[in-house]
Amino acid sequence: MGIFCFLLGCDSGYSESSFTDAPSSHFVASRPSKGSPAPDFRLMDMKGKAVSLSDFKGKVVLLNFWATWCGPCRIEMPAMEALYRSMRSKGLEIVAVSVDQQGTAVTRPFQEAMGLSFPILHDQDYEVGLTYGARTLPMTFAIDRQGIIRQVVFGSRDWNSPEARRGIAEVLQEPILESSQRM
């Protein structure tokens, strides 16, 4: 955990601001940004099954990078679960990517204690996190039904706030564009 704590900051602040792009000085230059396609990846879930981001095509995905040792990550998880339960039927999927090196040994007890029902994937070598430029935790990407990053949230967020729910609802209400209609 020591190396990850050094490489990854854990945002001790609480994000109440609107979705935004953060200063690029904190992230790798190739970080996907708002308006760009979300890079696909393949990681193992809690049951040892390989899961790809593309498996959620047609859904709005909140892609959250987190760790069990990150205090702000732990704080925002119950609100994420509440959001997931209330908006899953509308097409929302939350994909929580844990960067814990110990994998299910630490995420399974955490999931059970928190009562989390959304998928938890494991990025133990932090390759996907680096691809997304997640240098601080938590970091969340809202990805639309076409696979385009629509919102980027740096730090923890109160996912039960009217602002957060409104932002996700807007992405959920967007029409699904046929490939010929996209720019």
Side-chain angles (χ1 to χ4, degrees):
M1 180 173 78
I3 285 278
F4 277 130
C5 288
F6 177 73
L7 292 175
L8 286 172
C10 197
D11 185 356
S12 61
Y14 199 72
S15 175
E16 285 294 336
S17 62
S18 61
F19 297 99
T20 184
D21 284 321
S24 59
S25 62
H26 296 126
F27 302 95
V28 292
S30 63
R31 175 180 60 84
S33 60
K34 192 173 168 182
S36 68
D40 198 15
F41 58 82
R42 189 174 195 81
L43 294 171
M44 303 304 270
D45 70 7
M46 298 284 283
K47 297 175 184 170
K49 177 184 169 202
V51 176
S52 297
L53 180 61
S54 58
D55 293 343
F56 301 99
K57 185 178 180 175
K59 294 188 178 200
V60 170
V61 175
L62 273 185
L63 177 62
N64 176 259
F65 291 91
W66 70 287
T68 58
W69 47 262
C70 169
C73 300
R74 297 172 70 92
I75 290 169
E76 80 173 348
M77 285 291 182
M80 290 182 84
E81 179 64 24
L83 179 73
Y84 183 62
R85 289 179 189 241
S86 69
M87 294 190 170
R88 184 176 184 193
S89 63
K90 297 176 175 110
L92 176 67
E93 192 63 61
I94 293 179
V95 178
V97 176
S98 167
V99 299
D100 287 285
Q101 290 180 307
Q102 304 89 348
T104 58
V106 294
T107 57
R108 188 177 315 283
F110 181 84
Q111 177 193 39
E112 291 168 359
M114 291 282 196
L116 303 177
S117 60
F118 48 78
I120 295 176
L121 307 180
H122 295 98
D123 186 19
Q124 292 163 284
D125 58 8
Y126 202 59
E127 285 184 29
V128 176
L130 287 176
T131 298
Y132 276 82
R135 295 286 181 110
T136 61
L137 297 177
M139 185 168 179
T140 305
F141 294 83
I143 303 166
D144 71 16
R145 297 176 195 271
Q146 286 79 249
I148 303 299
I149 297 170
R150 297 295 311 280
Q151 302 164 352
V152 181
V153 179
F154 301 91
S156 64
R157 182 167 184 95
D158 177 3
W159 294 101
N160 280 322
S161 74
E163 178 187 39
R165 287 183 169 268
R166 192 170 34 255
I168 298 304
E170 288 173 9
V171 179
L172 284 166
Q173 292 172 359
E174 292 176 353
I176 299 172
L177 300 176
E178 299 298 321
S179 58
S180 62
Q181 294 176 302
R182 290 186 214 150
M183 297 180 100

